[in-house]
Amino acid sequence: MGIKPLDLKKKTNNNYKKYTMIFNWFKIFIYHLKQSKLFSFLNVLGLSIGIAGVIFAILYWNNENAYDQWNPEKENTYQVLNKIGMTGNTWASNSIPFGETCKATIPEIESICFFNNTWYDDAPIKYQNKKIMANKITVADNGFFDVFPFPIVKGAKTNILKEDNSVAISEETAKLLFNNEDPIGQSINYSNKSYTVKSVYRLMRPSSIEPNYVFGSVKRPQDIDSWGNFNYGMMIKVKKGTDPTALLKKMQNVNFVNRTVKDAKESGQTVAQYLKENGETTVIIDQLQTARLHGTKSSQGINFPEGRGNLQLLYIMVGLSILILVLSLVNYINLATASAIKRAKEVGVRKIVGATKGQITTQFIFETAIIVILSIIFALAIVELSLPYYNTFLKKTLTMNGGEFYLQLIFIFGLVIVLAGIFPAVYISNFETLKVLKGNFSRSKSGIWIRNSMLIFQFGIAAFFIIGALIVNSQVDYMMNKDLGFSGNQVLRIPFNTPERKQRTDKYLTMKQEIRKISGVEEISTFAGTFGNSTNSSSGFTHNGIAVQPRNVEMDFGFLEMMKIKIVQGRDLSPEFASDTVSNMLMNETLVKTLNLKNPINTIITSGWGDDDGENLKFKIVGVVKDFHITGLQDKVPPMVFVNLKTLEWNNFNNVYVKVSPNNLSETLAKLKSYWEKNVNPDYPFDYEFVNKGFARTYQEQVKQKDLFFILNLVVIVIAIFGLFALASFSMERRLKEIAIRKTLGAETDILLKELSKQYVIFCLLGFAIGIVPAYILLQKWLENFAFRINVSVIPFSIALVSLLILTLMIVLAKAYQVTKIDILKYLKYE
């Protein structure tokens, strides 16, 4: 049936009425906007700040949770880690025979992949007459593209790294190295070895690994049959639907049968005795899909080359941004309900002429929607302008794009309208018609308790942020100023890049004599490790039934003295004693205490290091080293043993440490650079870092959290000031007639100020009492992450309370003083 002309006319009239009604609502909104410019601006700005905070958190959240989501094998791929014996140390490293045996005996495992344990390398790459300093170099075996199936755009699709001299490169690298040439089949040189380019792949980002080069030939011959050499990163790909618990049980059994049982038999013990003394290595697997944020923390804190996600910082940022949005919404609702007094008669008149409660509610939600739209526009502008600084802060390249982000933005829009608009709209629509038209609505207490409750809530949030900022700041200052047990002042760490590993020690000792001759160089030494990132190896042994897994510090003579690390018992290793390069060692205080050595000097230790015949070497303790922090203050000082470079001849130190004079530093550095690039390794550019600066990276995440709290603290205080100022203004305007009567009866200004401000002081105290409980609980939880931490005292709580009280009194008294100067006659006239 067709539409009748009369029906069409009715429909047209209805649409016209709707458009007219909406247009009238818009004109009313503009009118009130002009009438209350300041409070309208505060409304929009407050909501904008809250929404901007949530947008920042969403961008960070999306990026962190996007890692490896491109990978079709993310649910079936696992990283394998090991918790070593009774020491409890967790390592993101494995032995080759363990992985190979798992692959051969566990049918659920489809493929395995071994990586160079350092994941990335930076080194010169040569092609014909071209040489570039390449970064993000990975060395892996043929299983790499099974666990990270980057799309192959050119060359072989399978068995890419089957031959040891194979290499795959990224698209960007192919353009950089070969320009418009076909890279497939070309030969490039890396680490004095030629490799043939087999494939070109497209990097998918973000990923846990984003290599520019993937070279074959990762396995070293000496590690092929050694169950004790945990020198390789390892990942496995399993069949779809594999139960990870059952898989883990089977992998644990492989380790038990092939390592624990055999080691117990070789030591002449039962398995129970062996486990009691040494404990068992526990296998851990982390699913790639969740490993970045929720995976096991390794001993070095980084399980993947692109770094671990900072789940704590993510939660802090999301939680605090939600708090700020809630604060902004509370502020808006407070302002909206308080300002309702001015629109009470409007609502009464509209009800008299026939407006329904639903229409009035819809009108005020419509006005809220306009304010939210303006707030989101301002919020996007804030985010766009601040994004470069935000990216610098997080070391990210976040952008505002993608379907997911826009859907989230729409969700925020809807959520804010519902939370900010419904209550004020319903509250206003429930005004009693006769009451408001008589003009006595301003004396009604309707809704005051809700606004006051929200103001108390605002004070609670502000107290939480101030306390949090003070405690986080104190912990970071403590970390930055704590005695580390060593002094890195004026000490340079210079990467010692030399491919001839076997001759590394000899080359270093020769070079050392020449560098000492450079003016400005005070001392030179080395050790196999990095301050802030521990040492390069660890070996376990048992003494008097106590199993330990200390860090190995292979060092040059004079290293401890140069770094101002103290000897508390015995002596340092010295070239004056021939045995100091053969069978003498030092221990740190932590290891001495762990082994319960009452008189450690001259104690003989059977180490975990074997000689050519497989027998464990015996060492005599000649000194005890005072504990110092080689890793960050989040970790306890690890047990450590110290031997000379020549004792084990592992040659696994990667840096040279040079102490320089602060005088004519630029000249000294120029001479070092000239010598280094000419005599050490011409292929590598001279690079250096001050040790203190390198160690500072161990607490850079905490510095981020400190800065985050500081910035958000300012934001919260600004929003709280908006709300307090606006609410105090409306509250006191409601009491103008009362103030006029009091002044007529002779009330002094100071009495009036006291009367007008005392309720806000009470609100402040109540809010503070609410805020200190979550602040104390959550910040104690945060401090548990640190082995070395401050004790929470009453000082930050006292400072927060005094700050809130001063802020409250400044705002309220300023407004109160203003209203005490009113014209009495104006407010005592008959209305």
Side-chain angles (χ1 to χ4, degrees), residues 286-344:
D286 280 342
Q287 189 181 48
L288 180 61
Q289 181 172 237
T290 57
R292 177 176 172 82
L293 286 172
H294 304 280
T296 303
K297 181 182 177 182
S298 77
S299 60
Q300 295 178 332
I302 299 176
N303 294 358
F304 287 103
E306 293 298 324
R308 281 180 55 80
N310 190 334
L311 187 62
Q312 184 187 68
L313 180 62
L314 184 61
Y315 281 157
I316 288 174
M317 189 168 289
V318 171
L320 296 186
S321 66
I322 290 173
L323 264 183
I324 289 178
L325 180 61
V326 170
L327 187 65
S328 301
L329 291 172
V330 167
N331 195 52
Y332 175 83
I333 293 169
N334 249 344
L335 288 168
T337 53
S339 62
I341 300 166
K342 295 184 177 180
R343 304 189 63 175

Side-chain angles (χ1 to χ4, degrees), residues 243-261:
D243 178 8
T245 304
L247 171 67
L248 190 58
K249 188 176 180 180
K250 291 181 180 181
M251 295 179 72
Q252 188 65 48
N253 186 61
V254 167
N255 193 72
F256 178 77
V257 170
N258 293 279
R259 192 157 185 251
T260 304
V261 173

Side-chain angles (χ1 to χ4, degrees), residues 12-76:
T12 303
N13 287 337
N14 287 337
N15 289 336
Y16 176 75
K17 288 178 181 179
K18 286 180 181 178
Y19 293 139
T20 303
M21 181 176 64
I22 292 172
F23 182 68
N24 287 334
W25 288 353
F26 187 75
K27 287 198 295 183
I28 293 170
F29 169 77
I30 296 298
Y31 169 77
H32 286 292
L33 200 67
K34 291 179 179 178
Q35 291 297 110
S36 306
K37 294 185 181 70
L38 175 61
F39 295 118
S40 298
F41 172 74
L42 295 181
N43 262 335
V44 172
L45 183 60
L47 275 180
S48 297
I49 293 171
I51 293 170
V54 171
I55 291 174
F56 277 128
I58 285 174
L59 291 174
Y60 184 32
W61 179 275
N62 289 348
N63 179 263
E64 285 296 305
N65 285 280
Y67 275 80
D68 301 306
Q69 298 310 302
W70 63 270
N71 192 333
E73 301 296 336
K74 59 183 179 293
E75 294 179 10
N76 306 318

Side-chain angles (χ1 to χ4, degrees), residues 271-282:
V271 172
Q273 290 173 329
Y274 179 84
L275 290 176
K276 186 178 179 180
E277 280 194 14
N278 301 280
E280 185 176 10
T281 298
T282 303

Side-chain angles (χ1 to χ4, degrees), residues 435-475:
K435 199 172 195 179
V436 299
L437 290 178
K438 285 180 180 179
N440 63 353
F441 177 79
S442 62
R443 291 187 290 273
S444 171
K445 293 185 179 180
S446 175
I448 293 177
W449 69 272
I450 297 176
R451 292 197 297 275
N452 290 342
S453 299
M454 289 184 176
L455 183 60
I456 291 169
F457 181 67
Q458 283 183 308
F459 278 124
I461 294 177
F464 172 84
F465 272 89
I466 295 173
I467 293 167
L470 291 170
I471 292 177
V472 171
N473 186 71
S474 296
Q475 175 63 23

